Amino acid sequence: MPSSPANNAPALTDLVMPKLGLTMTEGVLAEWKAKPGDSVSAGTVIFVVETDKIANEVEAPSAGTIAEILVQTGETVPVGTPVARWTGKGFIADEADAPRPAVEAPKPAPLPASTGDRVRATPLARRIAKAQGVDLHAVAGSGPDGRIKAADVEAAAKTAPAASPTEGERIALSAKYLAMVRRVVAAKRDIPDFQVVRTADVGALLELRRQLNAVGGPKVSVNDMVLKAVGRALLSLPRANRIWAEDAHIAFAATDVGMVVNSEDGLFIPILRDVGRLPLDRLAVDSAAAAAKAREGRLAAGDITGGAISVSNLGMFGAKALTPIISPPQSAILGIGAVERLFRPDAEGKPALRQEMTLTLSCDHRVYDGVLAARLLQAVAEALEAPHSLLLTEG
Amino acid sequence: MAELRYVRALNQALSDAMAADPSVVVFGEDIAAAGGPFGVTRGLLEAYGADRVRDTPISEATIVGAAVGAAMTGLKPVVEIMFMDFVAIAMDAIVNQAAKARFMFGGQGSVPMVVRLPHGGGVSAGPQHSQCLEAWFAHIPGLKVVCPASVADAYGLMRAAIDDPDPVILVENKALYARKEDVPDDLPAVEIGKARIARPGRDATIVTYGAALYTALEAADTLAGEGVEVEVIDLRSLQPWDEAAVLESLSRTHRLVVAHEAVEAFGVGAEIAARMADIGFDELDGPIVRVGAPFMPVPFAKTLEQGYLPDAGRIADAVRKTLA
Amino acid sequence: MPSNNATSRSRAAKGSNKPEALLALYRQMLLIRRTEERLSQLFADGEVPGFIHLSIGQEAIATGLGAVLERRDTIASTHRGHGHALAKGVELNSFFQEVMGRETGVCKGRGGSMHVADMSAGMLGANGIVGAGMPIAVGSALAHQVRKTGGVAVVFFGDGALAEGVLHESLNLSALWELPALFVCENNGWSEFSPTSKQFVAPLAKLADAFGIPAETIDGNDVEIIADTAGRLISEIRKGGGPRVLECITQRVRGHYEGDAQKYRDPAELKDRDKIDPLPRAASRLSVLGVSDALLAALETEVMAEIDAATEAARAAPLPGFAAAQADVYTPAGA
């Protein structure tokens, strides 16, 4: 006999796609962890959502029984869309990643949405892209404000062998990867960036690191020391600790710094909190944990939000320098090249062996001018060249 | 082939129509003995007599109202309002009577009449003798509106307007009266509602009509020097307008500019732009850009009027904008 | 009020003391009166949509003119034009079907009461715009003149149209071109909700005189006088005498439109209505001429039967379809 709803069945409510970040407008329902008929207690993971930034495990906000699943695995739906019917109480959107404006903020403006997912493209460009299977997120527009025109799509279609099944295998990409693509395209399009470059003599820094690691305790990486140097630079130059927000700056009090982590799903930037004031050994522990979470796809929305600057390090791969793309809504990113051994003239003009690293700061001109950029880079380099300062926790 | 002026083409069309059909009559202010302020009706009185070619008093409302009654009683009147601006006095007869008679009376018959309205600036005629008000009429169901730009069309659309069973507003541009073109000896009537491609091109389409056609062609020449090949469409009829021809061109060039001498706001260009944004949406590879007069009365002083009238530079800029 | 002078009276009766002609006029007036009374009732019942303007009390003018006009003659009418349409020959059934918004109406239900027209009957249309019929009639007269049809164009207008500019233009142009046009003013003293005495200062006859147009002002409630005078004027016009003006003094019994309570009007104005009402006046004259009450009663029965049948036919008639109407804004290609 088929089951029928009991007469005294509890009222069903909607379980909705939660808002997991300030800029989140839609999410991919990546996986259901519960099925119709399952009774769950509060805190049980019921489904996984992939947003443009991360995968989130969504926990039951209360106890309840899943009655019906409305959104299937793989579907993308806007925030607030009912994804299931159940007997529990619905979601309240996660407010954890709201911005933390400091006293300098002219008004509590929301984070900019202009760097979000909206693609500017002409109707014809959209039609052609659809017909040829070109992802407009990956197309650079040549029109006003980066508007993608038909010719841009056609050029992209020609240079994208993946688009043609005869020339190669078409690889579907994860929502996370595509989100990263959208982010970098938007950043390249919307941010008036410029770069300043200098080298830092890191001989003393490498020696200090050797000594610290010989003592035992958490292993400190060169990258940790660079992060710390950036945090200290922000303490001394709070003017740089700002982001652009729709005709205003938002200034941060905490010296949060992002750390670019590479994974199979693309790049992620977990944010390390108040790095300038964090002891180096604590920083080493936090950065190792954040890197692990990123590689395992466990970053939560709160882990990746905040900060005005990030550090991207390709030194371990031997690259001399890199010019990284700013990660919106941040205003700067520091690219770190490999340590090189080379001769430099000393005070007497005689060759002296040095260990140098190339630092490239990409800056948003809406926040930085050239002097500010050079001063921030100088502060970082000086901290690296006088590395004992990295052991301090206050400016 | 013979060289013919626009004004003579209109005159020839009137004369040929009167010769072909005794029910065609012509009346208006100073059109008979004086031959019309612009000479469009010159010689008709002598050729066809005082019964069919009549000077009227300065009574625009009754001139057009009488045309309605005459058309209902078996004549095909062609009336002239000396300047399009003066038609404001005759709007009841056009809008409430002529335009509605066929529909309102259950299709018992129509009102075969032509109202000739010279429009356009450029001659320092000032705010009450220069306006381009054709959009008023294109907005009224029951009216047809044509606006010839070429000499051949001046003839062909006049003949078509007179032959048409419904009321037709024939808009003539004063600046074009003196225009000369080589035309065939035997000019045909031109089907109302059909546009023509005045200059073929592949990169963008300019839709225009009336005197603005020549401004648009000048802009197309300029742009050709920049390697941009613009297609210029002369609408010829504004109501009905050749939606299919414009869509076809847009489907090839993917960019659209609409240019006219009339005020841009709420004008003919607004309708064309809106319609193409609807039915041609997926063809668009740039914004639809309009070029028209600014939202102000037509000024008098030469320098002011020069600033007022859309010129080739503005049209070229509009094309560049849609190509950007 | 002009006097009913003896010459007019004798002319109306001239040539016969037989009642046939007056009986026909009476029957036409009765048909218009009963039709409008029926429309009033149908309007109140919601069977006639929109709004309607009744000519009750003014039937003699439409009837008198209708009696002397020929099919080839044309008329332009007003918003108060039911009588004009019926008197000019618009068929009663298609008239009812039009006013009741039916596909089979004379205008396929697209115009209604204010736009009844029948080109085949020379009825160029009632008109929703005060004064608009005047230049239309002028143009129609022009067509009669140019085409040498021998026809005359008549425009009916109320005293409320006296202040419209097109009256002056139309009088001038018709005089200038010596057009076969008759301007018939139905002067009921009211311009919509206002007395015309407060709206217009010049007597129409004087105005006509200024344009050199012969004008007569007559009792607009005596159908014989009207038919007689109109017949004479039309004959003069038809002979090429140029335009004429005929002012008929009458009374509007109902409001400007149905539902108008006429609170702006002194009830005493209509106290002696029976004495001036064209129907009782014609009836008593018929009585003098020897027509029996029984015959008049039979006429009444006959007219009511026609109206009942027309009402029922209109109720049963189909409602108009939207698509066909939309396709008829312009003349179809090939038509």
Side-chain angles (χ1 to χ4, degrees), chain A residues 224-316:
Chain A
D224 293 335
M225 299 175 92
V226 174
L227 288 164
K228 180 68 191 174
V230 170
R232 287 192 56 77
L234 289 176
L235 282 177
S236 64
L237 273 175
R239 175 63 183 74
N241 200 7
R242 290 185 181 187
I243 62 170
W244 174 255
E246 303 287 352
D247 297 335
H249 286 169
I250 292 177
F252 297 127
T255 55
D256 295 352
V257 180
M259 172 180 75
V260 179
V261 178
N262 188 33
S263 86
E264 282 182 9
D265 274 333
L267 299 175
F268 296 95
I269 309 183
I271 308 295
L272 301 166
R273 300 301 172 191
D274 212 3
V275 170
R277 298 182 181 90
L278 191 67
L280 188 57
D281 52 343
R282 286 281 313 163
L283 173 59
V285 172
D286 285 2
S287 72
K293 267 174 104 173
R295 293 197 178 98
E296 291 158 20
R298 291 189 294 109
L299 287 173
D303 295 333
I304 58 165
T305 309
I309 186 167
S310 291
V311 172
S312 182
N313 190 345
L314 281 183
M316 58 289 262

Side-chain angles (χ1 to χ4, degrees), chain B residues 9-321:
Chain B
L10 292 169
N11 180 267
Q12 189 64 47
L14 280 167
S15 181
D16 290 355
M18 293 189 83
D21 184 347
S23 65
V24 177
V25 297
V26 179
F27 52 97
E29 297 158 14
D30 302 317
I31 63 99
F38 302 105
V40 174
T41 50
R42 192 167 298 157
L44 297 179
L45 173 64
E46 292 76 8
Y48 300 100
D51 216 27
R52 293 173 66 196
V53 184
R54 297 184 182 220
D55 281 323
T56 65
I58 302 171
S59 303
E60 286 82 5
T62 292
I63 292 169
V64 184
V68 177
M72 286 176 168
T73 316
L75 292 183
K76 289 181 178 170
V78 180
V79 296
E80 173 177 307
I81 298 294
M82 193 179 285
F83 288 83
M84 186 181 221
D85 314 65
F86 307 166
V87 79
I89 303 167
M91 287 304 267
D92 176 66
I94 296 177
V95 173
N96 289 324
Q97 312 300 334
K100 291 175 176 54
R102 174 182 179 79
F103 178 86
M104 180 165 75
F105 300 155
Q108 290 182 58
S110 194
V111 184
M113 59 186 272
V114 178
V115 184
R116 292 183 38 238
L117 301 175
H119 80 168
V123 291
S124 279
Q128 295 174 339
H129 289 74
S130 304
Q131 295 170 86
C132 296
L133 302 171
E134 52 274 12
W136 287 4
F137 304 98
H139 189 64
I140 302 298
L143 298 178
K144 294 182 179 178
V145 184
V146 299
C147 187
S150 72
V151 172
D153 287 348
Y155 181 92
L157 285 171
M158 174 72 88
R159 290 301 302 269
I162 294 171
D163 287 344
D164 200 277
D166 294 309
V168 180
I169 306 297
L170 182 85
V171 184
E172 303 162 7
N173 192 293
K174 297 192 285 288
L176 296 180
Y177 280 134
R179 185 180 172 76
K180 275 189 265 187
E181 274 174 32
D182 281 330
V183 293
D185 294 331
D186 201 9
L187 283 166
V190 169
E191 188 181 346
I192 293 177
K194 291 285 181 223
R196 83 185 166 99
I197 295 175
R199 174 191 176 116
R202 58 162 198 275
D203 297 325
T205 300
I206 302 173
V207 173
T208 185
Y209 63 87
L213 169 67
Y214 302 101
T215 320
L217 288 170
E218 193 187 329
D221 279 344
T222 305
L223 290 161
E226 299 169 17
V228 175
E229 288 302 328
V230 176
E231 180 148 305
V232 179
I233 293 186
D234 175 7
L235 271 186
R236 309 201 281 187
S237 292
L238 309 182
Q239 183 60 266
W241 62 281
D242 199 341
E243 199 174 279
V246 175
L247 182 61
E248 191 279 327
S249 179
L250 173 63
S251 301
R252 283 186 283 105
T253 67
H254 307 295
R255 280 113 180 158
L256 183 63
V257 168
V258 192
H260 50 56
E261 188 181 328
V263 168
E264 183 178 302
F266 293 86
V268 169
E271 171 65 18
I272 293 169
R275 188 71 185 136
M276 285 302 130
D278 178 358
I279 62 173
F281 183 75
D282 286 327
E283 299 296 346
L284 290 168
D285 202 22
I288 302 174
V289 186
R290 286 177 294 154
V291 180
F295 198 61
M296 64 188 280
V298 187
F300 159 70
K302 270 253 172 286
T303 49
L304 293 176
E305 198 174 26
Q306 274 162 11
Y308 175 88
L309 291 172
D311 59 17
R314 282 187 55 204
I315 296 176
D317 282 346
V319 173
R320 292 186 193 107
K321 186 175 170 191

Side-chain angles (χ1 to χ4, degrees), chain A residues 72-83:
Chain A
Q72 301 305 317
T73 301
E75 284 185 48
T76 304
V77 293
V79 166
T81 305
V83 299

